[in-house]
Amino acid sequence: MSTRIVRTQVLSATNPSPIATAIGNRSALVVLSPTVYSHYGSKVKAAIEGLPAGQRSTCVLETGETRKTLKSVEELIANAHACGLPRDGVIVGIGGGVLLDLVGLAASLFRRGIPHLKIGTTLVAQTDAAVGLKCGANSSGAKNIVGAFYPPELVLTDGTFLTTLNKRDIRCGLSEMVKLAISTDAGLFHMIAAEGALLLDPANRDSVAARRLIDRSIIGMTNELNANPFESDLRRRVDFGHTISGAFEVASGHSILHGEAVALDVALFSALSMLLGHLTQDELDGILQLHLSLGIKIWNPIMEDSDLIERGLAASASHRGRRLNLPLPDGIGQTFFVTERSDLPDGLIDAAIAIVRQAAAKPCLIRH
Ligand SMILES: NC(=O)c1ccc[n+]([C@@H]2O[C@H](COP(=O)([O-])OP(=O)(O)OC[C@H]3O[C@@H](n4cnc5c(N)ncnc54)[C@H](O)[C@@H]3O)[C@@H](O)[C@H]2O)c1
């Protein structure tokens, strides 16, 4: 199982455009979020202009974490039906992780499954959500509680989309990249430390150095997913940063964004790993400082809610075969797992929280 990922100039004026080539002679519904439509709508329309008029439709779907619902999936399906999308048609998602997850889920359900293409327009989407085989929606007050394993036919990546992204969303992507680096790739960690700040400057987001960082993240994530595509092994290194992050997102009413919650989770469990003797103090300092130097927050008062953390741990265990299967860094670039909640000594999580709170309060010399 491997998804085909192609770096290209998605919106180039070539004829046929990469989108039109990927669609071929099929009917297509191209789905964009309002923000992506406002920036790129006319270029996307131009890119599919060469397709026969009856075979191309576009629709704009409201996104945002609170709209990542089955209702939105139904709205998408209604659009697909209204434009007469046949079984051999294709849905093309162009947007952030929320839009791509909704498009994937709608594609998996419409006519019991039709092909879809993913074009990520955020750093989170390009390095993670577009590459992933999963799609989903929030429901019953829980994050991604419904979904499917439904690989896209093709993923197109284009750094020019990143130039219009705000810094907050860039930091969300950086936090996912740092998570991947800590759990699987020490080399990537050092690359982000040296060059990650480039991505904060719109002028550098599609530079050679930025592409190198993004492509290494994409390859790293793809390798992880290919080795365990349908998660038959519930001990997943890339679940690092995703143990209590969902609980933080939901409890904050999604004022904490996905990537921001991942960073809080990474900081807390890195400190825990240090307390368990699997990271040195220097390594932990390096992890926390890297976040701070990129302007990624490692602390939020929500981390003091120990009931919430326990609920988050329990929810993760339900998702991971009723065992905690908690991925923790074992040095930088390696992972070990804590199997059961009871394997964590009493008071250790509180001690980890105290370490992160203290680190966040210290002044950071380099902040972008
Ligand atoms: N399926 C997976 O494997 C997977 C992996 C990682 C994350 N996710 C999901 O992805 C979601 C987070 O994704 P996200 O961080 O992309 O959030 P998002 O989709 O909400 O996008 C963030 C913001 O960026 C805007 N935006 C998108 N592209 C833009 C562009 N080019 N220029 C300017 N603004 C743009 C959007 O309108 C939105 O306001 C979460 O729901 C998470 O669960 C899924």
Side-chain angles (χ1 to χ4, degrees):
M1 170 63 49
S2 83
T3 303
R4 200 154 68 89
I5 303 166
V6 177
R7 180 176 275 291
T8 181
Q9 287 183 299
V10 170
L11 302 174
S12 70
T14 53
N15 190 12
S17 69
I19 304 183
T21 304
I23 293 170
N25 59 7
R26 298 175 291 183
S27 294
L29 172 63
V30 180
V31 187
L32 306 98
S33 68
T35 315
V36 174
Y37 186 82
S38 71
H39 288 296
Y40 304 102
S42 53
K43 283 190 174 166
V44 168
K45 282 188 171 164
I48 57 171
E49 211 168 45
L51 300 171
Q55 280 179 228
R56 54 179 152 89
S57 306
T58 47
C59 88
V60 175
L61 186 75
E62 287 287 345
T63 55
E65 205 61 54
T66 54
R67 304 290 287 255
K68 192 177 168 182
T69 58
L70 290 171
K71 197 163 166 240
S72 296
V73 173
E74 272 191 322
E75 191 183 325
L76 248 176
I77 289 172
N79 269 287
H81 184 51
C83 73
L85 199 66
R87 195 165 190 167
D88 64 349
V90 56
I91 306 186
V92 182
I94 309 181
V98 169
L99 183 116
L100 297 186
D101 273 1
L102 290 170
V103 162
L105 190 52
S108 77
L109 293 168
F110 186 64
R111 301 191 192 281
R112 297 193 175 79
I114 69 164
H116 70 300
L117 314 176
K118 288 189 193 171
I119 303 174
T121 60
T122 63
L123 192 55
V124 169
Q126 294 194 354
T127 56
D128 204 331
V131 183
L133 307 179
K134 291 191 282 193
C135 53
N138 307 329
S139 180
S140 314
K143 179 104 179 121
N144 293 332
I145 194 81
V146 288
F149 291 99
Y150 199 66
E153 180 181 279
L154 175 70
V155 175
L156 298 178
T157 301
D158 182 348
T160 53
F161 285 115
L162 303 180
T163 56
T164 48
L165 211 55
N166 65 37
K167 275 194 187 177
R168 187 175 180 194
D169 286 307
I170 286 288
R171 288 189 170 110
C172 285
L174 279 165
S175 105
E176 288 275 19
M177 291 162 72
V178 171
K179 159 223 81 182
L180 179 72
I182 297 168
S183 54
T184 69
D185 183 353
L188 177 62
F189 185 86
H190 297 304
M191 283 169 70
I192 298 172
E195 297 187 308
L198 272 181
L199 284 161
L200 293 171
D201 176 1
N204 286 323
R205 289 183 190 157
D206 197 28
S207 61
V208 173
R211 287 185 197 183
R212 207 168 34 228
L213 281 175
I214 292 169
D215 288 349
R216 183 151 173 155
S217 302
I218 291 174
I219 291 166
M221 180 55 79
T222 309
N223 290 342
E224 287 296 310
L225 299 177
N226 287 350
N228 183 23
F230 301 112
E231 300 180 11
S232 45
D233 183 357
L234 293 168
R235 291 154 77 95
R236 299 173 73 238
R237 301 199 290 178
V238 285
D239 271 351
F240 180 50
H242 292 74
T243 298
I244 49 171
S245 54
F248 289 160
E249 283 181 70
V250 173
S252 73
H254 297 288
S255 65
I256 301 177
L257 301 180
H258 179 70
E260 293 169 344
V262 168
L264 302 179
D265 186 312
V266 162
L268 174 56
F269 287 111
S270 296
L272 191 91
S273 184
M274 195 271 286
L275 292 171
L276 288 169
H278 287 262
L279 283 178
T280 64
Q281 180 72 56
D282 279 355
E283 286 169 332
L284 176 64
D285 289 347
I287 289 171
L288 300 180
Q289 279 303 314
L290 177 56
H291 284 84
L292 293 172
S293 72
L294 294 168
I296 303 171
K297 294 196 173 88
I298 55 170
W299 176 254
N300 184 295
I302 206 168
M303 293 161 82
E304 280 175 332
D305 185 341
S306 46
D307 287 345
L308 177 65
I309 289 180
E310 287 306 327
R311 285 201 303 278
L313 290 171
S316 273
S318 299
H319 201 64
R320 297 177 187 157
R322 287 192 283 137
R323 300 205 133 138
L324 188 56
N325 285 327
L326 171 69
L328 292 176
D330 196 7
I332 308 259
Q334 305 285 334
T335 297
F336 78 104
F337 291 86
V338 171
T339 306
E340 305 286 357
R341 171 67 184 91
S342 53
D343 296 338
L344 292 174
D346 284 349
L348 207 71
I349 293 181
D350 288 340
I353 291 169
I355 290 172
V356 180
R357 190 197 302 112
Q358 237 177 15
K362 277 191 207 149
C364 171
L365 295 180
I366 331 151
R367 207 186 287 260
H368 296 272

